[in-house]
Amino acid sequence: MAERRPIVGGNWKMNTTRAGAKQLCDSVLRGFTERKIDTEVVLYPPYLWLTDAGDLINASSIKLGAQDGLTEENGAITGGINLTMLSEVIDALLIGHSERRNIFNETADKFSRQLIAASDLGLLRTYCVGEDHTQQETGSTYEVLAEQIGSVFAGEEGEQLSHSIDSNPPSFVIAYEPVWAIGTGLVAQPNDVQDRAEFIRAEISKYCDVSDLIRIQYGGSVNQKNADELAALTDIDGALVGGASLNAEEFLAICEAFSTNSR
Ligand code: 13P
């Protein structure tokens, strides 16, 4: 049986003050040590608080991630922060989040470069996919998921990506986040989440030999009340948590729900 260690991410998005971020890190760290949490845990604070967060959690097994990062080399890009800089501080990178796709009009071109660059820098990569409300209503969810996955495995870079995953399966995570469930309080039906995760795994198997070892998170209004039900799904190996990750107790309760045996 394949071994997939559950993984829970806290995507803080554009939230927290500096003091609030430090306090949140501190509370998560304390609760993480006190409770029996055996999931992999990754915190994604805003850029500005990454070093503060890193100073607090460095001695623990909690990982630190960035919500984005450029793949360009150092140079004349005013306001830019690249992965080379970030890799001095972070362990993980979020890629392809729907808010990057929709607010910043980012596309697969950038995501595939990030997926490869992050691998070269030894970072854990989480690639986010998911259909929006209209796509769900018009029944094109599976088509959308196939396109979002297929597009980063296209061409020569795609081959490089496949190779990087086959040689290190735990370094690549997929987050299935239906856009209509993000920040809305609406959670996808567990049966649907399971079906979509199975579909995602089957799609990954077209490009990688290790799809059974790839961890799939669910994201979209995850909270401590719905976490148990999601954690029970065969093909769901964790959660990517937005709003609820801003509350240490709630986030830790979600981590605890996924602290079951590896699959
Ligand atoms: P919410 O948990 O706030 O719905 O956000 C989910 C998400 O976008 C995590 O990346």
Side-chain angles (χ1 to χ4, degrees), residues 137-205:
E137 289 295 297
T138 54
S140 51
T141 295
Y142 292 103
E143 213 176 296
V144 169
L145 295 176
E147 195 281 325
Q148 289 173 339
I149 293 166
S151 58
V152 294
F153 284 101
E156 224 172 273
E157 283 186 339
E159 268 175 46
Q160 232 177 304
L161 177 59
S162 300
H163 178 72
S164 73
I165 295 169
D166 283 337
S167 59
N168 187 4
S171 74
F172 178 72
V173 175
I174 288 264
Y176 169 56
E177 299 201 302
V179 182
W180 51 268
I182 295 177
T184 57
L186 301 170
V187 186
Q189 290 300 313
N191 282 352
D192 288 343
V193 175
Q194 171 57 27
D195 283 354
R196 278 141 208 197
E198 259 178 61
F199 177 81
I200 288 167
R201 201 174 295 291
E203 285 301 300
I204 296 287
S205 75

Side-chain angles (χ1 to χ4, degrees), residues 131-141:
E131 79 285 2
D132 66 22
H133 180 68
T134 312
Q135 291 160 339
Q136 193 220 14
E137 289 295 297
T138 54
S140 51
T141 295

Side-chain angles (χ1 to χ4, degrees), residues 6-77:
I7 176 164
V8 178
N11 178 7
W12 296 3
K13 305 191 180 181
M14 198 171 70
N15 290 296
T16 64
T17 58
R18 186 178 185 187
K22 286 192 203 176
Q23 199 175 359
L24 186 50
C25 271
D26 203 44
S27 306
V28 170
L29 185 58
R30 231 170 321 117
F32 181 79
T33 322
E34 277 162 24
R35 300 180 187 217
K36 274 197 155 184
I37 291 173
D38 66 3
T39 53
E40 201 168 339
V41 173
V42 190
L43 300 181
Y44 299 91
Y47 281 141
L48 272 173
W49 322 141
L50 279 172
T51 48
D52 288 317
D55 287 346
L56 288 165
I57 63 175
N58 255 348
S60 76
S61 63
I62 298 177
K63 291 193 164 75
L64 187 64
Q67 300 170 19
D68 183 46
L70 298 178
T71 54
E72 284 77 4
E73 297 294 320
N74 287 1
I77 302 184

